[in-house]
Amino acid sequence: MIDFMVIAAPRSATTWTSNWLTTDTTLCIHDPLYTWHYNQLDGLVSKKSLGVSCTGLLWFSEWVNKHPARKVILHRDISEVNESLIALGIAALEDGVEKRLDSIKGTHLDWRDVFDAPKRMYEYLLERPFDEERHAALRAIEMQPQFAGLTVNKDAVSKLYNELRSL
């Protein structure tokens, strides 16, 4: 069962956040929709408390809003998101991303709070005291997903795209 979620547009620190929120007692999976359909997420098994840091769940806000997990929704100016995507050679996002993020029930924060004001988010999601030393050590590291080595479950992704076409 997924205990906590971080939901944001791409290029909004979700990779870094998934690493930060993975601890000795928690496992935070980055962008799980490349591997599983959202209906499969609660079937994932771990000895740790499970969370996701995801850039795809914003498109499935109805499911997210029904889910009992603790949620943080990170907001970044869409023009900054698109500028960062284009710099990587990735297409800009379509309109409607902010509206989708706004429709999700949870704690809404600026994406920079992950770095500049992290205590509230950490303690809310992980239900444990903020680890200032870990955060400081990780803050010095830039993290990016390795898209070249990304494994994609074509069946799960195909099912998601079919659902997106019907929105």
Side-chain angles (χ1 to χ4, degrees):
M1 176 82 160
I2 299 300
D3 298 308
F4 62 91
M5 297 180 185
V6 176
I7 301 165
R11 311 305 298 157
S12 301
T14 56
T15 302
W16 194 93
T17 300
S18 70
N19 193 324
W20 171 48
L21 297 178
T22 295
T23 70
D24 59 325
T25 61
T26 59
L27 175 63
C28 187
I29 302 167
H30 182 251
D31 279 344
L33 299 187
Y34 283 116
T35 308
W36 300 284
H37 186 274
Y38 57 84
N39 282 329
Q40 296 175 299
L41 295 178
D42 283 325
L44 300 178
V45 178
S46 176
K47 295 177 183 176
K48 298 180 176 191
S49 175
L50 276 174
V52 297
S53 184
C54 189
T55 60
L57 283 173
L58 67 97
W59 298 107
F60 306 101
S61 56
E62 187 174 309
W63 179 85
V64 170
N65 282 333
K66 290 179 184 176
H67 198 283
R70 296 176 300 283
K71 299 170 193 85
V72 167
I73 301 87
L74 298 176
H75 293 270
R76 183 177 185 184
D77 183 273
I78 294 303
S79 63
E80 290 178 15
V81 169
N82 285 334
E83 184 179 312
S84 183
L85 288 169
I86 291 167
L88 290 172
I90 300 171
L93 296 177
E94 298 177 14
D95 292 338
V97 171
E98 270 302 317
K99 185 178 177 182
R100 290 272 179 187
L101 288 170
D102 288 341
S103 74
I104 297 172
K105 297 171 188 162
T107 300
H108 290 256
L109 300 172
D110 185 273
W111 75 284
R112 290 174 293 242
D113 287 353
V114 169
F115 304 105
D116 300 335
K119 183 178 182 190
R120 175 181 174 205
M121 178 178 169
Y122 186 92
E123 291 182 348
Y124 168 65
L125 291 174
L126 273 51
E127 297 183 320
R128 64 188 282 177
F130 177 57
D131 185 340
E132 190 172 343
E133 287 179 307
R134 176 172 165 70
H135 185 269
L138 290 173
R139 190 163 185 220
I141 302 170
E142 181 179 335
M143 296 173 207
Q144 304 290 334
Q146 287 189 314
F147 292 112
L150 182 66
T151 302
V152 175
N153 177 333
K154 292 179 184 178
D155 291 335
V157 171
S158 177
K159 187 175 179 181
L160 292 167
Y161 273 110
N162 287 335
E163 287 180 43
L164 286 172
R165 285 189 195 102
S166 67
L167 293 179

